[in-house]
Amino acid sequence: MPGRFSAVPRPVYFYLAASFFMGLANTMFDVVFNFYLAERGISEGDAGVIYAIATGAMAVAVVPLLFLGRYLSQRTLLIGASVLYTLPFAGLPFVASIASASVVLSLILAGMLGLLSVGNAMAGSQVPAEARTRLFSGFFISYLGAGVVGSAVVSVGSGWLHTSDLDTYRFFLLLSFLAACVMLVLRFPSAGTVPKAAAAAAAAAAAAAGHEVGRTQGEKRNFVALFVAAGFLGASIALFFRFANVLFAQIYDISVSDISLILGTDKIVSIFGAIFAPVLVKRFSLRPSTAVFGVLAVLGLVLQSLTVPLAVFTVLYLLRLLFNYCLMPLLDTVAMSGFAPARQIVSIALRQSSFYLGGAVAAAVYGELLDGGRWQSALWVSAGCALVGSLAMTLVRSTEPGPAAGREEKVLEHA
């Protein structure tokens, strides 16, 4: 066992640790920020405007990232994105208007896009192709596990604090800033690289040169398929990311506390989904696993659109999250396997941007449908998006040459 852990590059450990504290910062901020805005006199409608602006900024942030990638090293981009993500957290306890909240939140989400794009690309380059699903599964486990911890901290801490609601929310926003600072510190060692043996590097360069023409042609198709897959998958899951509480309230006559109890189990179930992904890929390979998860998600959503008991609907809701986080590590793996190393940052940035852009567009559609009480139509739209997205993922073909035989290729093989 110690030998297996020692085979994992040290930057990968720091990458996972940084991902944990990023998830911790995000969760504590997410839990209280809407309540904080309400205390500052910002209505729910105005909060929707803030999130729309910030989500749009996140989708657009991919453009300067790709431009700067031509002139700056990956390490510089990663540290820059870490700073851009961390510093605005310091301003969260002081925003008091739509404009200031939009600017601060836009900077945070733009920095997060950079972290997810550059950080995942750098970490993925540290391991052989067959270990990447396990790596990205580890990322989601760390990130979601931090979400469980962050939710518990807010829940328990709120009972201990005897301050005004506004000061309580400010306290947790300050804690989220401190967690982001720890993340920033951990990003420096995570930006290290593991040198390959000279022979292996030469072999990889020769293989890349021999396949460059065909690879470039294949990558054009892969970019289109990846954009479609990420966009429609983001559009599908946005229904439960943004409107799960609305769905439960419209379909079943249950209290808000009961809905919160149901939604509180989602991160734990999601962690299991991330754990299952590499296990199934090892047995059934990448593309068949993608198709299976997509079909299961569609079936679950269609069943939910029928008039089913609350217990059945809840189980199907949790299974939808399970399937989503089975697909997410696969989507990140696909985003790397279909492109040359020089373009993997572009592909991962495209995956992240398309996913959130698809979710933003779909959220407007779902909101319109749910405002009219058409929850069944919302579920059908989500099912259609899940089907298109999962099928598009299967169209991305790997352009990487087979792994060269060598001791260094065993990194993460048994970790």
Side-chain angles (χ1 to χ4, degrees):
M1 184 64 70
R4 293 180 179 181
F5 284 106
S6 63
V8 181
R10 290 184 71 251
V12 171
Y13 283 122
F14 285 108
Y15 158 76
L16 294 175
S19 299
F20 175 88
F21 281 97
M22 183 173 72
L24 190 63
N26 279 346
T27 300
M28 290 190 292
F29 147 68
D30 283 337
V31 170
V32 304
F33 192 57
N34 282 342
F35 301 124
Y36 170 79
L37 292 177
E39 285 292 323
R40 302 290 293 194
I42 297 176
S43 67
E44 291 183 358
D46 291 337
V49 173
I50 293 170
Y51 284 112
I53 294 173
T55 304
M58 186 179 193
V60 173
V62 69
V63 177
L65 175 64
L66 300 183
F67 176 78
L68 292 174
R70 300 179 180 181
Y71 306 100
L72 301 176
S73 67
Q74 291 187 4
R75 178 182 175 84
T76 301
L77 286 174
L78 182 65
I79 301 306
S82 301
V83 173
L84 179 62
Y85 172 82
T86 301
L87 293 184
F89 271 93
L92 284 175
F94 307 103
V95 297
S97 66
I98 298 175
S100 60
S102 298
V103 170
V104 171
L105 190 57
S106 295
L107 291 174
I108 290 174
L109 293 185
M112 188 170 76
L113 177 71
L115 288 173
L116 293 174
S117 302
V118 184
N120 288 8
M122 292 186 69
S125 67
Q126 305 283 344
V127 302
E130 62 271 17
R132 285 175 185 159
T133 301
R134 272 169 283 174
L135 171 68
F136 295 128
S137 175
F139 162 77
F140 283 106
I141 292 170
S142 298
Y143 188 86
L144 294 169
V148 175
V149 174
S151 298
V153 168
V154 174
S155 177
V156 174
S158 298
W160 287 350
L161 294 174
H162 300 288
T163 58
S164 66
D165 288 341
L166 181 61
D167 288 338
T168 298
Y169 302 146
R170 280 176 166 168
F171 172 77
F172 287 114
L173 291 175
L174 177 61
L175 281 186
S176 67
F177 170 61
L178 296 178
C181 288
V182 176
M183 185 280 305
L184 174 61
V185 172
L186 291 170
R187 287 294 179 181
F188 284 89
S190 77
T193 58
V194 177
K196 295 182 178 179
H211 292 80
E212 186 62 29
V213 175
R215 174 183 291 174
T216 301
Q217 294 297 323
E219 285 181 353
K220 293 178 181 179
R221 180 188 65 248
N222 286 348
F223 272 120
V224 174
L226 179 63
F227 182 83
V228 172
F232 277 93
L233 289 175
S236 177
I237 197 60
L239 178 62
F240 287 133
F241 278 172
R242 301 297 183 189
F243 301 104
N245 54 345
V246 178
L247 279 172
F248 278 98
Q250 284 195 3
I251 304 172
Y252 304 99
D253 185 18
I254 56 177
S255 65
V256 174
S257 61
D258 290 336
I259 294 175
S260 300
L261 181 62
I262 294 171
L263 301 185
T265 61
D266 59 359
K267 288 186 174 62
I268 297 174
V269 172
S270 299
I271 290 173
F272 281 103
I275 293 172
F276 289 155
V279 176
L280 294 175
V281 167
K282 187 175 181 179
R283 291 181 176 272
F284 302 107
S285 79
L286 184 60
R287 283 192 292 273
S289 299
T290 298
V292 169
F293 290 139
V295 170
L296 290 175
V298 171
L299 289 176
L301 287 164
V302 171
L303 288 174
Q304 282 183 297
S305 68
L306 306 176
T307 304
V308 296
L310 173 61
V312 175
F313 189 93
T314 301
V315 170
L316 292 173
Y317 161 71
L318 296 175
L319 285 176
R320 178 67 185 97
L321 294 177
L322 182 78
F323 298 147
N324 178 72
Y325 281 99
C326 283
L327 280 171
M328 289 301 97
L330 304 186
L331 183 58
D332 285 321
T333 304
V334 164
M336 291 197 70
S337 66
F339 306 89
R343 289 178 285 278
Q344 285 174 349
I345 287 184
V346 178
S347 65
I348 292 182
L350 180 70
R351 167 264 192 266
Q352 300 290 348
S353 178
S354 180
F355 185 87
Y356 288 105
L357 182 61
V361 173
V365 176
Y366 294 141
E368 188 71 22
L369 291 173
L370 293 173
D371 279 344
R374 292 174 288 173
W375 58 269
Q376 288 176 313
S377 297
L379 287 165
W380 291 336
V381 171
S382 181
C385 290
L387 180 61
V388 174
S390 58
L391 291 179
M393 276 182 66
T394 65
L395 299 179
V396 181
R397 295 293 185 265
S398 176
T399 63
E400 294 183 338
R407 188 177 184 87
E408 69 278 2
E409 293 294 342
K410 297 300 181 181
V411 176
L412 276 188
E413 180 71 17
H414 303 290

Coordinates of all heavy atoms in Angstrom, one line a residue, residues 166 203 331 415:
L166 N -27.1 39.2 9.9 CA -26.1 39.8 9.0 C -24.7 39.5 9.4 O -23.8 39.1 8.6 CB -26.3 41.3 8.9 CG -25.4 42.0 7.9 CD1 -25.6 41.5 6.5 CD2 -25.6 43.5 8.0
A203 N 10.1 9.3 -27.5 CA 9.2 8.4 -28.2 C 7.8 9.1 -28.3 O 7.2 8.9 -29.4 CB 9.0 7.1 -27.4
L331 N -16.4 12.8 -18.6 CA -16.4 14.0 -19.5 C -15.1 14.7 -19.4 O -14.5 15.1 -20.5 CB -17.5 15.0 -19.1 CG -17.7 16.2 -19.9 CD1 -18.0 15.9 -21.4 CD2 -18.8 17.1 -19.4
A415 N -3.0 3.0 -7.8 CA -3.3 3.9 -6.6 C -4.8 4.0 -6.3 O -5.6 3.8 -7.2 CB -2.7 5.3 -6.9

